[in-house]
Amino acid sequence: MWAELDAMAESAKKRRISDLFKADAFRADSFCIEADGLLFDYSKTSIDDIGRAALLALAEAADVAGKRSAMFGGQAINETEGRSVLHTALRALDGQPVLVDGQDILPDVNATRERMAAFARSVRDGSFGHITDVVNIGIGGSDLGPLMAVMALAPYHDGPKCHFISNVDGADLTDTLAGLDPASTLFIVASKTFTTQETMLNARSALKWAGGESALERFVAISSAVEKCAEFGIPAERVFGFGDWVGGRYSMWGPIGLSIMLAVGPGAFEKFLRGAQAMDNHFKTAEFSENMPVMLALVGIWNQQVCGHGTRAVLPYEQRLARLPAYLQQLEMESNGKSVALDGSALDRVAGPVVWGEPGTNGQHAFYQLIHQGQQVVPCEFMVGAEGHEPELMEHHRALVANCLAQSEALLRGRSEEEARAQLEAKGMSGRQLDQLAKHRVFSGNRPSTTLLYPRLTPYVLGQIVSLYEHRVFVEGVIYGINSFDQWGVELGKELAGGLVPAVEGKGVPDGTSGSTFRLLERILHIRD
Ligand SMILES: O=P(O)(O)OC[C@H]1O[C@](O)(CO)[C@@H](O)[C@@H]1O
């Protein structure tokens, strides 16, 4: 399946992207996909026509289309947990029935969304009581998605102010609650399992802060474990549930998105779902060569498998997407950071790159030095809106866009030593100083990037972008032959943390603890004494 692409590695590594542009006057048009207002430009990569054909053949050979139907059709493709993968059902607003074990799940999904909307309206219009602030307590998928989206949609906020507590570090709770009034603060305890150590500890401490049991009326729960919510003291009428066919990191489209709905209202939340649904439909129907999630995945595979780049940077030129890289880190790395194939056999290639990033322009003044001149090539995924939300600050937006375009241009073009010398000579420099400095001012260029251009960051567009990345992860996972929907890799650390809690209290160290950890514990206890 991979032989054709593997055989291209050597020539692809030597290729100059600028030569591809010289050879094909229409490259910018043909290595680009436009769909429903989004434009995905992957022309600034080393993929050529033959490479693209091989990538598309890879997707065919991996049966991406068949697996896609299996996912949307409700088959239990999360085999290690015996579950369907149907986060798309949460946004199937005009969808056909979706069957799980022969049962259509959409009536339940719609009823829950209606309950959420009624609840959100009652909080927003004051009929629930006087609520000024909402605190979402959750972690991982029960935090990153809503937090990212609430931040992204700031111009649409017309509800209570939303805050997020995730870290078990008491500092998170303390700093978030500082200045809030317990009487007008609503808590959402968001945990699919309702067993996550951090969330349950934070929820208990928040309840104490809010005034104990009497404050439970301002607590709602989002969980698949209704009985555990009842044990905590939150009755079923204030629990919003969802099926185990929604993975944590894919869950903000349903009840886990309650904080988003509270912030922007049910109407804007629906637009967010509609954007995601539109991307689902595009993913289901577009030819692979015109299919944005498929091509985004294939570009990632090209950069990693053919060119050997083990990381990729997500660089939104949109301050309100500041948490998107963190969100995508969970989405991509928890999904595809695996070593075994679905059948348990060892993978013969590294699946899933390290994903990281920061919004532009801030990153430019931090790590872009390495991106431009470091020895390790980092494929960059730029994103930018043609328009911002601040018409009175047009000058800012123009500068933002110019910077985004300049970065991908610089990565592509680079600067030769001759050019560097000429620039320095023009400034009057000569001799040894010129020889030395010119070398430092050389940029190899030829560094791949993609750009996702959207009209403006609306709820609809945010839905499109997130759904695009979800399906990209799916396609990459299918091609690597892994299960993108489990996360066994988080278990061992959790287990050991459970065992070490008594040790941190000075109650003995578990057997098998390494000398290093033993020594660290000793030191911690000594400092505390
Ligand atoms: O919603 P829960 O059950 O609290 O889980 C939170 C997060 O923990 C994880 O299981 C990983 O530890 C994530 O997959 C999940 O999003």
Side-chain angles (χ1 to χ4, degrees), residues 139-142 190-194 196 199 248-249 330 334 487 490 494:
I139 197 163
S142 301
S191 174
K192 181 176 168 183
T193 54
F194 232 67
T196 302
T199 301
R249 54 192 173 275
Q330 187 196 16
E334 195 167 73
Q487 56 284 320
V490 302
K494 283 187 196 173

Side-chain angles (χ1 to χ4, degrees), residues 4-5 8 47-60:
E4 208 184 336
L5 280 166
M8 290 177 189
I47 302 173
D48 60 357
D49 286 311
I50 303 172
R52 179 166 55 188
L55 287 167
L56 290 166
L58 181 73
E60 294 294 346

